[in-house]
Amino acid sequence: MLLAAAVVSYAGPFNMMFRESLVNEKWLPDLIERAVPMSQGIKPMDLLTDDATKAKWANEGLPTDPLSVENGAIMTAASRWALMIDPQLQGIKWIMNREEPHGLVIIQQSQPKYIDKVIYCIENGLPLLLENLPVDVDAVLDPVIGKQTIKKGRGLIMKIGDSEVEYDPKFRLYMQTKLANPHYKPEINAQATLVNFCVTEKGLEDQLLALVVEHERPDLQEQAKTLVRQLNEYNITLIDLENSLLFRLANSQGDILEDIELIENLEETKRTATEIESKVKLAKTTEVSIGKAREVYRTVATRGSLVYFLIDNLNALDRVYHYSMANFVYVLIKGMDMTPGGKDESKVPEAQRLGVEEPLEKRVELLIETTCYTVFSYVAQGLFERHKLIVATQLCMSILKSKGEMQYLKFDFLLRGPKVMGVDNPLSDWVSDSVWGSVQALKELDDYSNLPDDLIGASKRWREWMELERPEDEPLPGDWKRMPEFDRLLLFRTLRPDRLTSAMSRFVTNMIGGQYVASQAYDLERSFADSSPGVPIFVFLSPGVDVAASVEALGRKIGYTSDAGKYTSVSLGQGQEPIAMNNLSQAHKNGGWVLLQNIHLTIDWTSGPLEKKVDKLTEGAHPDFRLFLSAEPPPALEKGLPISLLQNSIKLTNEPPEGLKANLRRAYCQFNEEMLESCAKQAEFRSIIFALCYYHAALLERKKFGVGNIPGSTSGIGWNMNYPFNAGDLLCCGQAANNYLENNVRVPWDDIRYIFGEIMYGGHIVEDWDRRLANAYLSKYLNESLLEVVEFFPGFNAPGNSLSHKQVLEYLDEAMPPETPLAFGLHPNAEIGFKLREAETFCNSLVLLQPREAGGEGGMSVEEKAKMVLDDLVERLPDQFDMEDIRGRVDEYSPYVMVAIQESERMNTLLAEMKRSLAELDLGLKGDLTMSEPMERLMKSLATDLVPGSWRLLAYPSLRPLGSWLQNLLMRVSQLSEWTADLGVPKVVWLSGLFNPQSFLTAVMQTTARRNDWPLDKTVIVTEVTKKQPDQIDAPSRDGAFIHGLTLEGCRWDDKAGVLDDSKPKELFCPMPVILVRAVTVDKAEMKDAYQCPVYTTEARFREEVFTAQLKHKHSWIKWTLAGVCMFLDVV
């Protein structure tokens, strides 16, 4: 009894696996240990329900899987009202069927005056269903949820708001939420019984099997349904007879044998029971044969269940990816209709019809292929381009996993790409230390132990393969070419991570078919076929995409136009909400199409009245009514679009084509021949407009190489910040150029460049270095040479200024060569960096899509991984600095001594927090402390090799994973230990190892200014690159300080010539020799022939500038600016 009470009270919110663990691993052993008397072998479910009750629930529509049956038992046995976590609407269907005969009232919290209906139900003892309950539950409902009644006379009273309501004991309350993982306030958890109805993979598989069999063999499914119903009725009849008999026996007067009615009833019961028993035997035999016939289709249901759980988890990639179970089932049935080789091929596309009925085995294969691709295709039409290959890969891996064809450890390596750093690299001339670190990690897996030796032994063949432009198209060296295809992916992850996405695309094609990686064009007409009055079409907006045009074009084709009064469009914004709602209500009632654009701009209205309206669209809708919606996906920090709105809709993405050519074409199409002819200086105007369009396209497309302020960014070589350059800027610049040409005899290049770079486009730009970049493009393209033949990038010249608008577009299609980083002024290596980051993002996204499982399949659980890392960290963490001892040894507090003391104090603060949090987590993992949210976050970070947030706040900017970050931390401690040992000026300072490198540079300026009696605000830092390495420095500099640890990106440093030069192929970064930092007065700062090079802390660049270095060069500053040349203190 105690165990059953515990299940009812506490097990409801958890899934089946966790519930079983609670009962069998926690509660039962505890009861046995405490010697609590109990029956052997009894289960909580035996006490909470019986077969007849289960049969009754099944007839009412409750799924028959163990989780759902347990949920039914918990809900009926609990004294508190139930709150169902029910995203797939399984529980709500059961409650509706169960309570409808008793006058069920269904309301939502968002309805106006909903509380009146609550009061009505309480007074009249009617069942009430509060559906789609949000996380913020209205406080007025607290007494209802908490059953807060007061006895008044003979009756019960409940106080709701200001009014007292008579409470009818027959009143029942059910609550339901569509949120899969809601966070209700603790009071709700205490007052209500949370019941988790989230469908399980096995439960869904059984439900889908019924769907498939109903489609393929309706006779068989009908038989199965009838049989289940009969068996349930037999169980109910038997229990009823038993109860009736027991009642008569209990209430019998005198001698039982003389009670004729009782004896007759006993005979009747016996006869009926015997009859039912024989029928049950027959039914069980039939059940087995029907079961065998249905099992043939099990694989189709298994694949369907697998695909559903994949798409249900897609919101981990982007919070707009939400799909309802109803939509999924609709598309699955559509997939079955479209499968060739069946009895009826009327819905199969003509090109795919076979004209014959296929044998059962082949038919099942075709069903799996067609349903899987139909559902994938439905989902893919609403995915952003960057996520399509990720989802296809996850589907492919899930299929391999379900077939048992994937090894967990290898897949984990592919996802996480671990590295073992610090091992000597004998191939450093062509294998980077980072790649060698990956090789050392990979050799720990079976089948790869010989890889390091083979790389050394067959270095010529491996080097040739490694330096191929497209290695995925060529066989691997030696015996490695015979490896299974999946195993080869690990070699790409290790040796050529920049080609991993291309190799993965090929792998997915070979495993499940090329159609899964082929991009789908935006096709509103195809999606319209799936829509209905209750299913809106939702288009996600992208820059430069006009949704209204495509909806209007489809409307004209079908006959729904605004002229015919059958189409209205409202662009949402301030004050447009009533107009939109009025148009929506009119079309819903009378038929017609409504397009509501930019619904993200009125997010409160979208989450309130519109969401409520869409939830009830099916009620009383005209068959010709259709709703189209468009919105930009809101940024991560803003309120998201309503989940139920996203679940109910068919989602489409319409992204502009990527690439410089597509952007340049689209920019040039903003102008037309009439606009180009409107200027008196036509030749100059045409040249300027083309250069302006190229400038616009280059600014936009450069973003793909890395934008520093995008969350999670690891490179800012494209831009430090993301700027919303748009077609409006382009057209305004075109108009301004026209005006300047009309009003000046000669072309005022300086004025035009200033207007474009500082005002029109420059108005968006915040960062100074980004402004310099935008102006560098203008200086390169907009000058006198533009009126001759100018080369925009190698192999592409500007079109002649006598060509018409149409001829220029033709010239672009024919003459523009394939895009390379050179088109943006970047070095070809920038493509490798971009591809490496793309592969890293790809793998990180795949990690997000993995099911949250505790260990299993040969992998450690999160707790085990975290504990292993924790023990290692505790062992390696150094002692804190003794600040009293350091201060006691100070003779004079010079600027350099102050830097050393400040750095030591900061390091102590960080080490103290690390030790404190690790000790706390250790106690939590042992069970001596309750796990808090910060401890959970720390555990997750340790398990996934990430630097915990609480440490990052006290540390220095870094993009390193935890393992590498700790090594870096120990090196920083080592430098500080040496510095604080004698408190002198170090011979050469590892600038990267300081928390606040600016303070050291300020100390250089202060020391020099004091020595020469200069004002500090008239003193600046200048740099001079030496030809020495740190170990060649014998003594500190007399007129400044030697620093090292800086790394150059975008070009290399020519040691012999002492100038900047182009990078070597595949060499993304160039370590700098020792640099002398000196302080001089402003007037003596030599800037001639020196590139002003920004120095940043990490590769992300954004808001991480340390100082500006001067590097000698022989080319124009424009070349290095466009190449994104800068230096970093720390490179991963």
Side-chain angles (χ1 to χ4, degrees), residues 63 181 207 376 385 430 458 493 512 632 643 649 687 714 779 823 984:
N181 194 13
Q207 290 172 40
F376 176 82
E385 205 60 45
W430 60 278
R493 179 74 163 118
I512 57 175
E632 285 177 18
I643 291 175
S649 308
S687 294
T714 55
S779 301

Side-chain angles (χ1 to χ4, degrees), residues 514-533:
Q515 70 270 33
Y516 287 91
V517 292
S519 203
Q520 288 187 38
Y522 169 74
D523 186 349
L524 189 63
E525 194 171 345
R526 179 190 61 208
S527 304
F528 180 76
D530 289 332
S531 72
S532 69

Side-chain angles (χ1 to χ4, degrees), residues 165 203 213 270 378 404 496 528 541 563 569 571 600 610 706 825 963:
V165 179
V213 175
K270 189 180 175 186
Y378 173 81
R496 283 297 300 273
F528 180 76
L541 294 172
D563 296 340
S569 168
S571 189
H600 61 287
L610 181 62

